[in-house]
Amino acid sequence: MSAPSLAEVKAGGQPPGLKNRRNEEHWAGRLYMRDISPLFTWLFVRIGFSPNQLTYMMIACGILGGAAVAVSAGGTTGLVWAIVGAVLIQAYLLLDCSDGEVARFRKRTSVTGVYLDRIGHYMSEVALLAGLGVRAQGAWENGGYVELGLLAALGAALIKAETDNVVVARAKSGLSADPATGDRALRPESTGLALAREAVSLLKLHRIIGAVELSLLILAAAVVDKVTDTLTATRVLAVAVAIVAVVQTGLHFVSVVASRRLK
């Protein structure tokens, strides 16, 4: 059988509407990564990688990204490791696109693949937030910033668990995974809560605990720290993400319980 062309791989891996999936497609995917990923997906297909192998590689990149930012803080070395971390997270995003594209092209989507993908997102965000805490502390030792990083990591994991357990709760109750009302189910039944949810959503503060956004913020903080010869920017970022993670955990829980997603 002849090798597939790039156009064939892109057509099979990126069906119409893929970029417009609500709450599924990352903004960076829509902005640039989905334009880049087909070339790598074509290469992965030619090499013979399976979707799950690519997902394992994605998980590795995410965890290594967290480890990289924790290696060193401050100065030129700290900046270099922040760059390494940001590059690894971009590779994580690329592989997150390509594993699904390979699965769709080869018609090898699976429950295992979905599970690995979700676990990969958990592990990568937790690793990066924990790494930020170590970086803000300035050393591999206990301290207030390490605890803040772990607190933020716990919050990020809980937010994802709150979302995933909607599907679990519906399945255990004999309901379909998605409510029949679609996106309307996301809105709280209370008008006041619905307006508050929209206001918080517009601020986009929740994005700073996402792996892609956080890796870029860590890099920006590293540049400032290099110029000022301090760890102030990184420490401010660590405090900010911890606050956002804690607040977002509570708000997201209220949003889920008050919405129609559990009905």
Side-chain angles (χ1 to χ4, degrees):
M1 182 180 295
S2 62
S5 68
L6 176 59
E8 290 172 331
V9 170
K10 183 174 182 179
Q14 291 189 6
L18 181 72
K19 290 185 179 182
N20 299 321
R21 296 178 302 172
R22 182 180 175 88
N23 299 322
E24 290 290 335
E25 190 67 16
H26 194 277
W27 63 264
R30 290 191 294 268
L31 183 62
Y32 63 89
M33 194 56 79
R34 285 295 183 185
D35 294 326
I36 299 171
S37 61
L39 177 59
F40 287 88
T41 300
W42 172 80
L43 181 62
F44 294 144
V45 168
R46 292 289 299 270
I47 293 173
F49 282 123
S50 71
N52 288 352
Q53 286 174 331
L54 294 174
T55 306
Y56 282 122
M57 291 165 61
M58 178 198 82
I59 295 172
C61 285
I63 294 174
L64 289 173
V69 302
V71 169
S72 179
T76 301
T77 304
L79 177 57
V80 169
W81 280 108
I83 294 172
V84 171
V87 170
L88 283 166
I89 295 301
Q90 289 298 309
Y92 154 87
L93 177 60
L94 169 64
L95 290 163
D96 190 27
C97 291
S98 285
D99 62 358
E101 291 173 1
V102 170
R104 284 185 289 272
F105 175 75
R106 289 184 169 174
K107 295 180 173 54
R108 290 178 59 181
T109 56
S110 67
V111 175
T112 301
V114 174
Y115 176 80
L116 289 175
D117 187 73
R118 297 301 302 171
I119 289 295
H121 292 166
Y122 275 67
M123 296 176 70
S124 299
E125 289 191 6
V126 165
L128 194 60
L129 286 162
L132 172 61
V134 174
R135 183 181 185 86
Q137 188 64 35
W140 289 78
E141 60 186 24
N142 290 334
Y145 291 103
V146 172
E147 279 73 16
L148 282 176
L150 293 175
L151 179 63
L154 175 61
L158 285 174
I159 292 167
K160 290 188 177 299
E162 289 169 357
T163 298
D164 290 345
N165 273 287
V166 170
V167 177
V168 173
R170 291 181 63 84
K172 285 183 174 291
S173 300
L175 300 174
S176 61
D178 298 315
T181 53
D183 290 346
R184 287 184 298 169
L186 299 175
R187 288 178 57 86
E189 295 184 288
S190 166
T191 302
L193 284 176
L195 292 173
R197 180 181 181 275
E198 290 298 324
V200 171
S201 179
L202 287 173
L203 295 175
K204 306 296 184 185
L205 291 178
H206 61 282
R207 287 185 173 177
I208 73 171
I209 58 177
V212 174
E213 294 87 348
L214 183 57
S215 67
L216 298 176
L217 287 171
I218 290 173
L219 177 56
V223 172
V224 175
D225 288 343
K226 174 66 169 63
V227 173
T228 60
D229 196 26
T230 67
L231 288 176
T232 301
T234 295
R235 288 176 171 174
V236 169
L237 178 60
V239 172
V241 297
I243 292 173
V244 169
V246 170
V247 173
Q248 185 68 17
T249 300
L251 292 178
H252 190 254
F253 173 78
V254 172
S255 177
V256 170
V257 173
S259 72
R260 300 173 180 84
R261 278 176 277 186
L262 299 176
K263 297 180 180 179

